[in-house]
Amino acid sequence: MASLLFNFTDVWITLNASSGGTVFGLYNESGRIRLPPLSMEEEFFGNYDPRAPDPFDYGSTELPPACSSDPATLSIPQVFLMTARLRDFQMFDQLRHGIGTFERFFRAFPGARTPSVPILVLDTSQRALSTKRLAVLRPSQLGSGLALTLLAMGFDAEGFGQRIGWWSRGSQGVDGPDGDRLHSEGAGRRGAGRRGRTKGQDDDVAKGQRGGLRCVRVGSVVGGHKIFGLQSQETNGASSRRLRGFREAIGRTLRLRPDGRPGGEPPLADLALFLLRRHGPRQILNEHALNASGSGGLEALIARESGLTLTFARLETLSVVAQFALVSRARLLIGNHGAGLTWAAMLPSAPHHEHRCAVLELYANASADGLPVDTSHFSAASGVRYRPLAQETSPDCRGKRIRECGHIFVDVPSLIGAVSELGLRRGGRAQGQPATPQDAA
């Protein structure tokens, strides 16, 4: 199933907070609206029988009396519901769903003509079915791909909470402390924050609260998700333009220039960003060889072949905002096969960058199944050069599936040779035809 799109009018949203999470409900005057619809249950849950009882059990299917009887119940014109699956959802899949959903969002609420639109993210993982609860996700529960989507939409957690009366001023709210939120300087283009609010407006957001239950009357609820399609080759530049629009939207939320620098700051060096990881099934086991100094060290060799400044990063130690800002300065992304290389989609490809960007994907040469195509497809869509490079597999990983065990030993001379072939220096040309994973098999 490529997408789920829905639109409901004149409805009530209920949010019921408890220690186990925030349960979501959608009602009209006839009772509870079945959500997710058939198409979503087929995709996420499988073997759906439309004759079976509703898989989500909220007790009564009637609209809670507190919602309809209180004339002071908060009323807002629009809400966007983003449906997200977290279980068995790698960053590659998160970002594909996220980019398409971002485009769906801006088709529903185009540009400056649209007032502030609160965003709800619903957890549609298998656990939603097992617990019989459709839960609202906290920003901290989202993986990087979905978190980038919220930034592209201009999401601001605190502003959203105030907009729908989800927590009062001075409280930490359901999202926990500030560090638990997807916070960013200047975020909130589509979430009404504290700035410019009056005392009366702050009192208004408390309406509709009844104990742990929040009721909100909504004129239009639009939502779902849509997949960003990928192909092995990009022919007309359409995907590159769409990805650029996604990156620029994130930059606007974060108030960054297209090269990842805050407005007004002086230019910074272009980076060759080498991704490392401390844990997981695909580590680089000879990191010491990458840190050698002097003219024969990796830093000096990459500078000679590409003119770039080598920087090592462990993305798991950085916030999503910091990761985006770092990748936005990179012209070359290097790393062992894994989710981190999905950031190829966020490289500052033309026309904003004078030179082309590139991805150098290392992988275990003795794996049982070879190199997946995820990174090569995102590289093609983003308009960046891509080069796979087979490396020696650790003895314990030989003959195993690469996603399960893909530890490698990096051979510095072959890595430098691949960097040279990418032709990243001013006026440089890549040697030969664009590489595919099969080329390095």
Side-chain angles (χ1 to χ4, degrees), residues 333-348:
L333 190 63
I334 309 172
N336 194 7
H337 169 75
L341 290 178
T342 304
W343 282 95
M346 299 295 105
L347 287 170

Side-chain angles (χ1 to χ4, degrees), residues 28 41 67 130 142 152 176 219 236 261 277 293 320 343 387:
N28 58 24
E41 291 180 356
C67 296
S130 63
L142 301 179
N236 59 8
R261 297 192 294 271
R277 63 179 75 190
S293 59
V320 172
W343 282 95
R387 174 74 159 83

Side-chain angles (χ1 to χ4, degrees), residues 66-100:
C67 296
S68 58
S69 62
D70 189 349
T73 294
L74 181 67
S75 179
I76 58 179
Q78 299 162 314
V79 166
F80 185 82
L81 296 183
M82 176 178 167
T83 51
R85 182 177 61 157
L86 300 189
R87 292 284 178 89
D88 301 319
F89 219 37
Q90 301 296 324
M91 183 178 174
F92 174 79
D93 297 305
Q94 291 178 26
L95 200 54
R96 288 185 65 207
H97 280 75
I99 294 167

Side-chain angles (χ1 to χ4, degrees), residues 228-229 231-241 377 379-383:
F228 175 77
Q231 299 177 345
S232 59
Q233 292 185 342
E234 177 69 8
T235 56
N236 59 8
S239 295
S240 181
R241 289 191 294 273
H377 282 186
S379 298
S382 195

Side-chain angles (χ1 to χ4, degrees), residues 10-251:
D10 195 18
V11 297
W12 283 268
I13 284 177
T14 63
L15 300 167
N16 202 341
S18 68
S19 59
T22 307
V23 179
F24 172 86
L26 185 66
Y27 296 82
N28 58 24
E29 293 183 352
S30 300
R32 195 171 70 82
I33 299 172
R34 184 164 181 160
L35 187 73
L38 169 62
S39 59
M40 186 168 149
E41 291 180 356
E42 285 180 333
E43 177 178 359
F44 286 148
F45 302 145
N47 302 319
Y48 174 71
D49 183 355
R51 297 165 297 181
D54 190 327
F56 296 98
D57 178 15
Y58 300 102
S60 173
T61 60
E62 297 180 357
L63 177 69
C67 296
S68 58
S69 62
D70 189 349
T73 294
L74 181 67
S75 179
I76 58 179
Q78 299 162 314
V79 166
F80 185 82
L81 296 183
M82 176 178 167
T83 51
R85 182 177 61 157
L86 300 189
R87 292 284 178 89
D88 301 319
F89 219 37
Q90 301 296 324
M91 183 178 174
F92 174 79
D93 297 305
Q94 291 178 26
L95 200 54
R96 288 185 65 207
H97 280 75
I99 294 167
T101 303
F102 154 80
E103 294 174 337
R104 161 69 168 162
F105 177 84
F106 276 97
R107 279 194 294 272
F109 310 114
R113 298 192 300 274
T114 303
S116 180
V117 179
I119 303 167
L120 276 171
V121 184
L122 304 185
D123 181 5
T124 54
S125 303
Q126 177 64 29
R127 63 182 167 193
L129 186 61
S130 63
T131 61
K132 296 186 179 297
R133 293 292 185 270
L134 195 59
V136 180
L137 295 165
R138 298 191 302 273
S140 62
Q141 293 174 289
L142 301 179
S144 296
L146 295 175
L148 287 172
T149 302
L150 291 187
L151 285 173
M153 292 176 179
F155 180 83
D156 170 43
E158 184 172 0
F160 166 74
Q162 292 175 344
R163 173 75 169 167
I164 68 167
W166 191 233
W167 59 77
S168 61
R169 283 181 296 162
S171 71
Q172 291 183 338
V174 294
D175 280 353
D178 287 342
D180 199 33
R181 297 182 184 148
L182 212 174
H183 174 73
S184 61
E185 181 68 25
R189 179 166 48 87
R190 295 187 175 271
R194 179 67 183 90
R195 292 190 302 273
R197 299 182 64 84
T198 66
K199 176 61 168 63
Q201 288 173 317
D202 283 323
D203 291 339
D204 286 343
V205 299
K207 297 174 181 178
Q209 301 185 16
R210 296 294 179 269
L213 179 69
R214 309 302 197 260
C215 297
V216 184
R217 186 76 180 264
V218 185
S220 174
V221 174
V222 180
H225 65 264
K226 185 175 178 61
I227 295 178
F228 175 77
L230 289 173
Q231 299 177 345
S232 59
Q233 292 185 342
E234 177 69 8
T235 56
N236 59 8
S239 295
S240 181
R241 289 191 294 273
R242 292 168 66 190
L243 285 173
R244 187 166 63 250
F246 184 76
R247 294 193 302 269
E248 290 174 348
I250 296 172

